[in-house]
Structure formats: structure tokens, C-alpha cells
Amino acid sequence: MGYARPTSALRSPVGLSYAVVTLLSFVIVADLFSVLASVNLRGVVGPLPGDRFEVFADEDLERADVLIAMAGGLQSIGLLAAAVLFIIWFHRVRINAGVFAPDLQSRGPGWAIGGWFIPIGNLWIPRGVAGDIWVASRQDPYGRSKGESHAVLNAWWTAWVISLLIDRVASRQYDHAETAEALRTAANAFIVTDLVDIVAALLAILVVRRLTRMQSVKAVRGPQEVAV
């Protein structure tokens, strides 16, 4: 089954992928800093449960709170920048997928952007778009080949959703913590969130690189070349 593939409709995602990978790497660094800040908070609070928050309102606790705030700021900046470029890259590969196999795309190109901003729906809509892009980007999108497994795509999406949900719980726990025990619980939740987010960022890098490579190889081997 063949389709006309005008060269002008294909645009290389390679340059964008480099930028996305760079920003995702920054996110990982920010997450590591947040882990250290959370470990420091645990050390400042101390091992005894049940103490009132005010007992630890000294310079060490204030510095620990500042480190947590700095880590949160770096993470917010990194995530925002990475998200913007990732969505731009995501839309680019969706447009290319519409050239490779338009009939395999269950949602229009606009969903590659808008799907991320729909409350609750953003927990599965972008994954559906990504799955369609992945299939269309294979060398044989209409065949039964399993050469390009969805495993890394599924792992990335699962880790991202888990980190998103845990982060909301951890932030709420930290904002309402009034005892040493509550602070330790929040710090532990932050550590788990950051570690899962690091895994999600690493898997996102793999997804970006793999999908970019798939589209680049397909464009070169196909009847048209990617327009730069």
C-alpha cells in the first residue's frame, strides 16, 4: 500500500531532538540536586518522630528549606523549557507520521499539542498520539513486524504518569508538614518522585532518539529525502 509523499511535507526532527535531549539532561541534573536537598532535609530534621516543626525552625532548617525551594525552582525551569521543545518536536514527528501513513493516525496533528493541555485526558491522549506516530515511523507500518517494539514508549509513559502523581502528593505533604515525622515523610516522597522522574527523563531521551532515528532512516530509504 503506497501513498504520495511530497518532500515539502517532511521536515527533519533531528535538530529539535538534540535540543530536547539537552533540556531533558538538565532536568535530570535538577532532579539529582533535589534528591540531595531532600536527603539534607531528612538529616536536619533528625531521627526522633513526633517533634513539633517549631523545634527545628533554626538556621539549619531554614537552609534546608531554601535548598528545597531552589531545587523546585530549577526543576520547574527545566521542565517548562523541556516541555515546550518536546511538544514542538512531538508535533514535528506527528506531521511526518501523517506523511508516512496518514490512515494510521487516529487523531489530527493538533492533538500532538492540545492533548497535553486537557485535564485528566492528558494522562492518555498524548500516549495514543505517540503510539500512532511510532507505528507510522516503522519501515513497515502495515506489516506485522515487531522490530520496533513499543516497550520503551510504554515504560516512559508509565514512569512519567507515576512521577506526576507522586509529585502532587509529596508537594501537598511538604506544604502541610508541622512535625519532624511529617517532614521526613515529605522528604522521602520527594526522593521517590525525583528518582522516578529521572527514570522518566532517561526513557524520554530514548524515545526521542529512537523515534527521530526511525523517521530519519525511513525518510532516507523512502522515495523522498527529509527536507532540512
Side-chain angles (χ1 to χ4, degrees):
M1 182 180 293
Y3 292 88
R5 301 178 184 175
T7 303
S8 60
L10 289 174
R11 297 185 62 193
S12 173
V14 174
L16 281 172
S17 72
Y18 292 152
V20 173
V21 168
T22 298
L23 288 175
L24 286 172
S25 299
F26 177 83
V27 169
I28 293 173
V29 173
D31 284 339
L32 289 173
F33 179 70
S34 180
V35 170
L36 293 177
S38 297
V39 170
N40 176 70
L41 176 62
R42 287 178 53 185
V44 168
V45 170
L48 298 177
D51 294 317
R52 298 298 300 173
F53 177 85
E54 289 78 11
V55 173
F56 298 96
D58 54 15
E59 293 182 358
D60 289 338
L61 185 56
E62 290 177 2
R63 281 195 292 268
D65 188 60
V66 169
L67 285 177
I68 291 290
M70 289 177 57
L74 287 175
Q75 287 176 307
S76 297
I77 293 172
L79 286 172
L80 179 60
V84 170
L85 276 184
F86 182 91
I87 291 175
I88 294 174
W89 169 86
F90 194 59
H91 185 257
R92 172 74 57 85
V93 294
R94 169 57 186 85
I95 292 295
N96 289 344
V99 177
F100 293 140
D103 59 320
L104 296 181
Q105 307 305 301
S106 59
R107 294 182 174 90
W111 287 99
I113 298 176
W116 296 94
F117 301 98
I118 299 177
I120 302 179
N122 56 13
L123 296 179
W124 71 81
I125 292 176
R127 168 59 185 84
V129 175
D132 292 343
I133 295 171
W134 193 275
V135 172
S137 301
R138 297 188 315 186
Q139 283 299 306
D140 183 15
Y142 300 98
R144 300 179 181 272
S145 172
K146 297 182 180 180
E148 293 292 353
S149 171
H150 286 74
V152 65
L153 191 64
N154 293 331
W156 158 62
W157 192 255
T158 300
W160 182 79
V161 171
I162 291 175
S163 69
L164 187 67
L165 297 177
I166 298 178
D167 180 66
R168 293 181 180 179
V169 174
S171 298
R172 189 175 298 112
Q173 288 177 334
Y174 183 73
D175 291 339
H176 294 87
E178 294 184 351
T179 66
E181 187 175 6
L183 281 172
R184 277 194 301 274
T185 300
N188 290 335
F190 275 139
I191 292 172
V192 173
T193 300
D194 294 332
L195 292 178
V196 176
D197 194 60
I198 289 172
V199 172
L202 288 171
L203 290 170
I205 289 173
L206 290 179
V207 168
V208 170
R209 296 187 62 180
R210 180 80 63 82
L211 194 49
T212 298
R213 179 185 60 81
M214 288 167 61
Q215 289 204 345
S216 297
V217 170
K218 184 173 180 119
V220 169
R221 291 180 179 177
Q224 281 84 28
E225 294 183 353
V226 177
V228 179

